[in-house]
Amino acid sequence: MVAPDPVDARLLAVLAESGRAAVHEIAQRLGMDPREAAMRLITLSGSGLPLLVGVECDPNGIRRALANAAAYGNYLGGPPSGPYSVHQSGPHHVSGPHQVPYPPQNPPSQPFPAQPQPAPQATWGPPQSAGWVRADQPQPKPFSRTGKIGSTLEADSLEGARLSIQLVEVVDPADFLFTAAGYKLAEGERAVVVHTEVTNTSQLPYTSLPDMYLVLVTKTGETVTKAPVSLSSRPAHKLGAQPGETAGGHTVFVLPDTTEVIQVRWSVRPEVDINTLVWTVED
């Protein structure tokens, strides 16, 4: 068996402390993306190590949730958004339903009396675009999706929470912070630390890791993802933010010493979408 890399070794060390833990708990302790932690653990499990990555659930609760969602016609067949617990331990059975009967999603059509048609309203632009509007309705105030260091930008979480995100500081290089925490950079590498603050301005809870998809964008258009480390002097983000709460944290990146960073980008998904925020980094 090939010796695990340092990140895998830290994952295994944390797992060995308890013998059984949720993936997101291990990831939070190490400042990692839970999806990356799960993928690494699954790979390690397949390499012959005595561990099994599994999932547990309440079968009846899952069946009720799926049936209710299907009854309202909003079950899309994909995984639900929000936090989830994945347990790994020694070999154990995975419980949960395999087949769920779905009731019909489309109710039978019913006749209805003809209604007088309203006068046509002016529209602009193609359907579903920002220009597709009705002249008799007030237009929402547009939100800025770009800014500079120190700017506060707004976005919506996957749960629908309204977030105000401020890029407080970019420390580049941050080698002294990295080495002071006990880590070592390879030859030709440098560390960068990004400080962000997320304020939940809505009445809905925000349940994701605020910097899960925070990346650096280089001059060549490549992206640099976060390093699975946390610094004692610059605490990492914790999971979520309640309504009205402001959550601050620091994200660590390790990249080649000659790489030029031009942007910091935040998203709610791995890919760029309408909620993606971009801050320009100036020399």
Side-chain angles (χ1 to χ4, degrees):
M1 175 181 169
V2 179
D5 66 17
V7 177
D8 289 344
R10 288 195 291 271
L11 274 170
L12 292 173
V14 172
L15 176 59
E17 291 179 5
S18 61
R20 182 184 182 91
V23 169
H24 74 276
E25 293 175 352
I26 293 179
Q28 185 174 358
R29 290 180 61 181
L30 294 174
M32 293 180 61
D33 181 342
R35 299 183 186 183
E36 180 186 356
M39 183 174 297
R40 285 179 175 271
L41 288 168
I42 291 171
T43 302
L44 290 169
S45 176
S47 68
L49 286 174
L51 68 91
L52 179 66
V53 182
V55 60
E56 296 180 359
C57 74
D58 174 5
N60 292 330
I62 294 296
R63 290 190 182 97
R64 285 195 299 269
L66 289 174
N68 291 338
Y72 284 99
N74 61 357
Y75 178 65
L76 302 179
S81 61
Y84 53 91
S85 297
V86 181
H87 300 277
Q88 65 263 14
S89 67
H92 66 278
H93 296 289
V94 178
S95 61
H98 295 280
Q99 296 182 350
V100 180
Y102 304 120
Q105 296 190 18
N106 297 320
S109 59
Q110 299 291 336
F112 56 90
Q115 300 293 328
Q117 298 297 318
Q121 301 292 336
T123 59
W124 297 268
Q128 307 305 322
S129 71
W132 183 258
V133 296
R134 288 183 54 176
D136 60 342
Q137 292 182 347
Q139 301 309 306
K141 179 182 177 181
F143 294 105
S144 176
R145 306 293 185 182
T146 60
K148 299 180 180 180
I149 297 176
S151 300
T152 300
L153 307 178
E154 295 194 10
D156 292 323
S157 74
L158 294 176
E159 303 88 353
R162 169 63 61 172
L163 306 175
S164 293
I165 304 174
Q166 181 184 16
L167 178 60
V168 180
E169 180 185 30
V170 176
V171 183
D172 184 10
D175 299 359
F176 64 100
L177 295 173
F178 194 82
T179 55
Y183 302 108
K184 185 177 180 180
L185 290 167
E187 185 69 24
E189 288 184 337
R190 81 176 192 273
V192 176
V193 175
V194 176
H195 179 195
T196 51
E197 289 188 351
V198 179
T199 301
N200 184 352
T201 60
S202 69
Q203 299 302 312
L204 297 174
Y206 174 49
T207 59
S208 300
L209 193 64
D211 65 344
M212 181 176 293
Y213 301 116
L214 187 72
V215 299
L216 303 180
V217 182
T218 70
K219 190 175 183 179
T220 58
E222 298 174 322
T223 58
V224 181
T225 57
K226 59 185 289 189
V229 298
S230 58
L231 309 180
S232 56
S233 60
R234 304 292 178 95
H237 275 283
K238 296 182 180 180
L239 197 66
Q242 295 301 311
E245 180 184 1
T246 297
H250 300 79
T251 309
V252 183
F253 300 88
V254 176
L255 61 158
D257 189 48
T258 57
T259 299
E260 182 178 350
V261 177
I262 62 171
Q263 293 177 341
V264 176
R265 192 173 74 199
W266 182 96
S267 296
V268 294
R269 304 175 184 272
E271 65 276 4
V272 175
D273 62 11
I274 192 174
N275 280 301
T276 297
L277 309 178
V278 176
W279 292 269
T280 302
V281 178
E282 299 178 345
D283 295 333

